[in-house]
Amino acid sequence: MFEFILSVSIIFTSGIIACLLNRHPGKASFIGAAGAVTGSTIGLIASIRIILNDITVYKKGICAFNIGTLSTGIDQLSAFFLIPLFILVAVSSVYGIQYLKPFYAKKTIGSFWLFFNLLAASMATLVIARNGVFFLVAWEIMSLSSYFLVTFEDEHKSVRQAGIIYLIANHIGVMFLFFMFAMMGKACGSMEFSDFSAASSAILPVSSALFIMATIGFGVKAGFVPFHFWLPQAHPAAPSPVSALMSAVMIKTGIYGLLRILIFIGPPHLWWGITLFGIGLISGIYGVLFALAQRDIKRLLAYCSVENIGIIAMGIGLGLIGLNKKLPVLALFGFAGSLLHVFNHALFKGLLFLGAGAVAQQTGTRNMEILGGIFKKMPATGITFLIGAAAISGLPPLNGFVSEFLIYFGSFKCITVSSLSVVVSSLLAITGLAFIGALAAACFTKVFSIVFLGSARSASAEKAAEPGKMMRAGMVFLAVLCVLTGISMPLIIPCFHGLLTEVSGLAFSEIDMFLSQAKTTFVFINKIYAVIAVVFTCAFLLRKKILAGKIVRTAPTWDCGYSHPSAKMQYTGSSFVQPITDFFNFILRAGKKTELSSDIFPKKISLRFESQDIFMRYIYEPLSEKIYSLIMKLRWIQHGRLQVYILYIVATLLVLIIWKLG
Amino acid sequence: MLINILITFLLITNIGAVASSRLTYCIKIVAAQGVVIGILPCIIYGEFALLPIVIAIFTITVKGIVFPLLLGWSLKTAQVAREVEPLVSYPFSIITAVLIFILSFWLGSRLSLPASFCGYLLVPVAFSTIMTGLFLIVSRVKALTQVLGYLIMENGIYAFGVALLREQPLLVELGVLLDMFVAVFVMGIAIFHISREFDHIDTHVLDNLSDRIPTDIRPTEET
């Protein structure tokens, strides 16, 4: 336990020191990042030790302010969420040193590091908090510090607006959490987590209400549809290391909270599982479809986070259905798949955001339509981005494949069970995952080919150059981890023993059986990888041998024998995905403007494609308009006339006196 | 008997302050009220000890002489039009003052106060003086009339204190009086500066400084 408190303290203190060094941006950056890396390394080693040795620690803390104790504790679930957290904090802070250099003259770098380290420290704290009030305090610090990071470039109007939307979304979410913890505290007579798990019979009557509030409250943070609306706004607005940290780790705290509460509130009802599964399926499909239609690379990644959170929710939903129907296979595969996807998504989404940030910073734009051909100029960024893109599309042998594979596998095992709900949800999981995976692959083909391949579509893409060493180091590190996780599953999966016991509450023997089954499967998969690798190596050597001594010519991409090829001859992002977006236009409801010409020598033809979030457009915007106009009707109260303000006071006093005396 | 005459005079000055349309007249009424308030404790307690007399002299000097002079000076230097500029018409103001008086009587009868030794009139009149002061603050445009309203309100508080307590309030009132002095002083200077900067002392023009968003400027979405 001591290591974690030490690690949080180091991260926090270095943030404060960095803030004090505001005048020297270089030093502030160094101290802030050094503290984050040191603290994360200590915490990471300790978490891995906890996982490997299957330890659970609980420490009742001192009472603070009479409302809650600062109790801390660590178990398998906490340690499991801390691992990606510490990895991403370390990587994105190293990346951040370089990323922030162009901002030295115009921004306060010290305060960036203060909020960055505060965000990291508060996330770690909320994962090890063992008291409701303490948890909520850490949760609020996390929300607020990330708000200040999102609004880092607050000179842009869009950034300020994104910040407001983010703040509102967070406060709607935390309102439900307040209610939830208050209800739990009332039922158990204490806010201590240890009392929550002890008083499961007291919680049982209100468990469904708690489940609903947890799903909404944590769902806003995690980005479940329809509470996802802040993600596509906040992630593009935030600086890239921050969006990496937020998308990779911070939205997972919602998943952590949901799992924690699910452990407390006892045996699940069937409809809980079906609800979560349905939310997951909708989020997955919705997220990937909207990701396809985006032009802004970071907004695309944000929608893609919605998709992946959907996959995670599907896994948890299947797990709950399995627990309810006494099907340990479905439960364990569901939970294991979703937990593994939490870890994997943190790695590859962090990597992709860092890559996107490098591209955006080097070219000065996030609009994919005017990029192109930068693979030749930024090869390291390109290769790592390709690895991340392949991983997020769920392609073997990378890590995105293994977690989705577990969910597939569990669902395939259960389509012959005699329960209708299980069969339907398993079938939906298989088809849904396949659908999401295919569209994700299309989506990342678009990103990679439009941004990195072909030739430059604008001057800003022309001038791109490889980013600095520290930015590259962060991306390469995550890419290596993506590959390693993908191929070392037979070693990793046995470590899930304690974690699955905690989450599912099933017997040891069942978990052991599951783990050995999963392990054999992964060993088999690895053998296939080995065979494919050998075949490819042979083919490569053969090619080299055939080509030896012959002249190999290289030509510009899309040359096609034209005498004067132009960059405009290439596919654009919008035209590449146009068949898919046309097909799904009943969901996307995009405004499509085409300008065609019937001339033999057309002067100009164009295709313009605007898609706007349908929840934003049809629900949240009309709603906020309504609220706004309602509030504006009360605006006359606030007119700035001194006399009438005093009249308010006098009238209030008089009414009070008359009421009291009358 | 003398007490009741003084109290009635207090009441008449209230109505006079509300009804007067000219600023100089208004200042004079408030000055007269200050003198009456100053005499009040001496008469009520019926003893001529040193402390009440000192305080009476002090009160009369400040409220009856210094404040009116100060206000007259700022009236002159700020070159204010000599009209009161009410937000509520004079007849209606008088009616309101009478209503306030009725309300105060009702309130006075409902309040269970410790045994009063100065007749049943002083508490309601003190109440109505406080509320009349507030009414003046609310219903007049100029900053100067607001100072006057503030003074009248303070007189009411003073009278209320006199009605209830015997020894102690004099010391307390001394403190309040000092506060008042500073307040009027600051207000006088502020009025002078406001008029120099903006060429008038209408407080309602200050609402240009409020945070109200004009309805035509609305946050719009930026793409």
Side-chain angles (χ1 to χ4, degrees), chain A residues 83-102:
Chain A
I83 292 175
L85 192 157
F86 284 130
I87 294 176
L88 261 293
V89 168
V91 167
S92 48
S93 58
V94 170
Y95 177 96
I97 298 177
Q98 196 119 46
Y99 183 84
L100 287 177
K101 275 190 182 152

Side-chain angles (χ1 to χ4, degrees), chain A residues 5 30 65 72 102-103 126 130 156 173 175 185 214 248 255 260 262 283 301 339 383 428 450 465 579 614:
Chain A
I5 292 167
F30 177 75
F65 314 118
T72 50
F103 295 99
L126 89 87
R130 288 296 179 269
H156 304 299
M175 188 179 74
I255 301 291
R260 182 62 74 198
L262 283 175
S283 301
L301 291 176
L339 284 168
I383 289 172
L428 276 177
I450 298 300
I614 50 173

Side-chain angles (χ1 to χ4, degrees), chain A residues 148-378:
Chain A
F148 286 110
L149 291 170
V150 166
T151 52
F152 181 62
E153 292 175 65
D154 56 2
E155 67 271 19
H156 304 299
K157 193 180 172 204
S158 59
V159 171
R160 293 198 298 272
Q161 209 167 3
I164 291 290
I165 289 175
Y166 176 56
L167 204 61
I168 292 172
N170 267 318
H171 281 86
I172 294 171
V174 85
M175 188 179 74
F176 284 94
L177 296 186
F178 267 108
F179 280 127
M180 187 196 72
F181 276 110
M183 260 174 95
M184 286 182 86
K186 195 159 177 289
C188 306
S190 154
M191 280 297 212
E192 207 69 3
F193 280 9
S194 56
D195 294 330
F196 288 167
S197 42
S200 51
S201 58
I203 292 181
L204 211 56
V206 289
S207 61
S208 287
L210 290 174
F211 170 78
I212 293 172
M213 282 191 272
T215 309
I216 299 174
F218 290 120
V220 171
K221 183 59 97 184
F224 291 166
V225 170
F227 316 117
H228 67 286
F229 59 92
W230 63 271
L231 277 136
Q233 309 279 339
H235 285 308
S240 291
V242 176
S243 18
L245 194 61
M246 278 171 62
S247 184
V249 188
M250 196 189 72
I251 60 172
K252 305 303 186 335
T253 58
I255 301 291
Y256 165 78
L258 188 60
L259 284 173
R260 182 62 74 198
I261 297 304
L262 283 175
I263 294 173
F264 288 142
I265 60 180
H269 294 281
L270 182 62
W271 67 269
W272 298 359
I274 293 176
T275 309
L276 266 186
F277 177 78
I279 289 176
L281 191 65
I282 293 169
S283 301
I285 294 172
Y286 185 88
V288 76
L289 278 180
F290 273 84
L292 263 174
Q294 301 306 315
R295 267 177 304 163
D296 182 327
I297 184 165
K298 283 174 83 177
R299 179 162 293 169
L300 181 146
L301 291 176
Y303 271 113
C304 205
S305 293
V306 176
E307 171 224 319
N308 281 283
I309 283 292
I311 295 176
I312 292 167
M314 274 166 78
I316 298 176
L318 285 180
L320 291 180
I321 294 173
L323 282 185
N324 181 272
K325 291 282 172 190
K326 305 271 180 304
L327 287 170
V329 180
L330 188 63
L332 291 172
F333 272 107
F335 282 129
S338 71
L339 284 168
L340 200 55
H341 205 66
V342 166
F343 179 71
N344 291 335
H345 179 244
L347 294 183
F348 54 65
K349 187 46 68 67
L351 168 61
L352 288 172
F353 263 115
L354 297 185
V359 170
Q361 190 163 56
Q362 297 299 319
T363 60
T365 179
R366 298 195 307 259
N367 184 354
M368 291 185 284
E369 306 286 22
I370 60 171
L371 294 171
I374 56 179
F375 190 85
K376 296 179 199 102
K377 287 152 194 148
M378 305 167 72

Side-chain angles (χ1 to χ4, degrees), chain B residues 202-218:
Chain B
D202 283 5
T203 48
H204 76 247
V205 191
L206 289 178
D207 67 4
N208 288 342
L209 301 173
S210 81
D211 64 341
R212 176 171 44 175
I213 310 166
T215 38
D216 51 343
I217 304 172
R218 294 275 311 271

